Amino acid sequence: MQTFSAGRCCSYMHYLQEMASSKSLMNLLTFTFGSAIGFFVCYLLFSIILEEQVKIQPHFLHNDPHGQHSSDTDSNQLQGQMNFNADFGQHKDENKNIAEGLYQKVKILCWVMTGPQNLEKKARHVKATWAQRCNKILFMSSEENKDFPTVGLEAKEGRDQLYWKTIKAFQYVHDHYFDDADWFMKADDDTYVILDNLRWLLSKYSPEQPIYFGRRFKPYVKQGYMSGGAGYVLSKEALKRFVAAFKTSKCSHSSSIEDLALGKCMEIINVEAGDSRDTSGRETFHPFVPEHHLVRGYLPKTFWYWNYNYYPAVEGPGCCSDLAVSFHYVDSMTMYQLEYLIYHLRPYGYLYRYNPDPATSPEEQSKNEALEDNQKLKQKVTES
């Protein structure tokens, strides 16, 4: 009897153990399945939230001054181009004597760094806007395109080829157009340049002076170097020395980082890194679009930009000169926005525009007044 009871007890205990084991297994499976569902739901929620944030966040730049340019996605690309300057009827009475005089006096050749993949997406919009105000405009590419047209530099595409393209472009300009201009401007196909303001800046210097201008950065080069994206402009003497330096091996293709390598070469050949700030000490060349500079807090203090400026950087309205020369990372739509805001929008009731250069002598004052009186006389004759 005792033996039978003990046997039944052992069987019952074994049964309970099996039940407990099965229950634990079920609990484990339930927990695992529930966790998987939970993780999947969380993943979907975070994906939706992040996707919405990406849609509403403005494009932010890479935390690397020599990193890749703005993306070439089609989200901000126009299909076709616009001619904002076909009709200047609303501006026919505007006094352009000073600007037109500087156009003849300060001759600037502009060359734009581009590539076959960017002719329709970027370069054509440069061609339709600010490039029309250069005394001479050239588009430099790895391949020749006779229809656009572009100059083929017999170089490969890619960021590691930028300095090669820059060297060859300046050599081409020197060999073919040296006598056609006094200053030689390099810009990217996502840079917007206000040529009239650049001429005002350059009018205070001689093209025979070994000097170049741009947004001045400070690391790695004692005198600083100019940001490639914001564009930079070489005097005739600076161009002559730069091209000669590669023939005499004073300079070489020592780095693929275009702006830094060019800056080191300029220091070697005693070309001065000029101060491009205006008479109020505000910057004229800008490595980003206006909002990045104008809106306080847009660029975090951990961003490379704050450590690279040669002069103390200012954020907010004091960042930028009223005679700004350039902005970078400008997509095709912003290219036309800037064209409209700079050359077409006018506040009503203002006869004269901003002039940072007051007359320095009675003779100059009299000359300016004579020009103004002449313009008023022309206007009266036209109206009558």
Side-chain angles (χ1 to χ4, degrees), residues 38-53:
F39 278 118
F40 181 71
V41 172
C42 289
Y43 171 78
L44 288 179
L45 289 174
F46 277 114
S47 296
I48 293 172
I49 292 172
L50 290 174
E51 184 177 354
E52 290 301 316
Q53 287 182 340

Side-chain angles (χ1 to χ4, degrees), residues 67-314:
Q68 63 183 15
H69 286 207
S70 53
S71 71
D72 294 334
T73 60
D74 295 329
S75 59
N76 288 330
Q77 300 301 330
L78 292 177
Q79 300 300 317
Q81 69 184 50
M82 295 180 283
N83 186 356
F84 269 45
N85 303 304
D87 181 14
F88 271 105
Q90 294 183 3
H91 303 250
K92 59 182 172 52
D93 297 327
E94 191 169 65
N95 188 334
K96 303 177 184 176
N97 291 342
I98 296 176
E100 291 174 352
L102 285 177
Y103 181 88
Q104 299 298 328
K105 180 182 177 182
V106 184
K107 295 184 178 180
I108 303 174
L109 180 148
C110 311
W111 70 265
V112 177
M113 178 90 76
T114 189
Q117 75 281 5
N118 283 342
L119 294 185
E120 292 301 313
K121 291 189 293 184
K122 295 183 178 182
R124 70 182 302 181
H125 306 297
V126 170
K127 189 177 180 181
T129 55
W130 64 264
Q132 298 180 11
R133 300 177 188 93
C134 300
N135 294 86
K136 177 69 179 178
I137 179 68
L138 298 171
F139 290 87
M140 301 293 189
S141 177
S142 57
E143 301 174 4
E144 182 183 17
N145 185 314
K146 294 183 179 180
D147 296 325
F148 189 81
T150 64
V151 175
L153 297 174
E154 298 180 357
K156 298 178 181 179
E157 290 296 331
R159 289 204 59 79
D160 60 338
Q161 299 296 313
L162 287 182
Y163 193 37
W164 274 125
K165 289 176 72 174
T166 301
I167 295 169
K168 291 183 177 182
F170 275 126
Q171 289 174 340
Y172 180 89
V173 167
H174 177 273
D175 294 344
H176 295 85
Y177 297 100
F178 185 74
D179 294 327
D180 295 347
D182 305 309
W183 300 87
F184 302 86
M185 171 88 184
K186 175 266 175 185
D188 288 344
D189 52 17
D190 59 351
T191 305
Y192 186 95
V193 182
I194 303 98
L195 268 299
D196 302 287
N197 294 346
L198 178 59
R199 288 191 178 93
W200 166 78
L201 170 67
L202 299 177
S203 67
K204 306 176 187 311
Y205 299 87
S206 167
E208 303 306 320
Q209 181 180 352
I211 194 170
Y212 79 125
F213 295 95
R215 181 53 172 259
R216 197 171 177 184
F217 286 164
K218 66 183 179 183
Y220 312 117
V221 182
K222 185 177 180 180
Q223 71 166 358
Y225 66 97
M226 306 304 171
S227 163
Y232 45 81
V233 56
L234 279 61
S235 68
K236 185 184 285 283
E237 177 62 23
L239 175 62
K240 183 194 301 183
R241 293 190 185 192
F242 181 73
V243 172
F246 286 89
K247 295 179 180 179
T248 59
S249 299
K250 285 185 177 180
C251 295
S252 62
H253 186 274
S254 56
S255 170
S256 61
I257 302 175
E258 163 233 338
D259 49 7
L260 177 58
L262 184 137
K264 289 181 176 179
C265 178
M266 290 296 178
E267 187 169 76
I268 291 172
I269 59 179
N270 296 316
V271 171
E272 178 185 354
D275 184 352
S276 62
R277 294 176 299 170
D278 68 10
T279 51
S280 299
R282 292 180 295 178
E283 297 281 4
T284 57
F285 288 77
H286 304 288
F288 308 122
V289 290
E291 66 202 63
H292 290 193
H293 298 282
L294 291 168
V295 179
R296 288 191 179 94
Y298 197 106
L299 299 175
K301 293 303 181 182
T302 56
F303 200 53
W304 63 264
Y305 169 76
W306 303 109
N307 294 322
Y308 269 68
N309 285 280
Y310 192 89
Y311 308 105
V314 177

Side-chain angles (χ1 to χ4, degrees), residues 303-331:
F303 200 53
W304 63 264
Y305 169 76
W306 303 109
N307 294 322
Y308 269 68
N309 285 280
Y310 192 89
Y311 308 105
V314 177
E315 61 179 335
C319 68
C320 310
S321 171
D322 286 359
L323 291 173
V325 169
S326 69
F327 295 97
H328 187 216
Y329 293 114
V330 178
D331 61 36

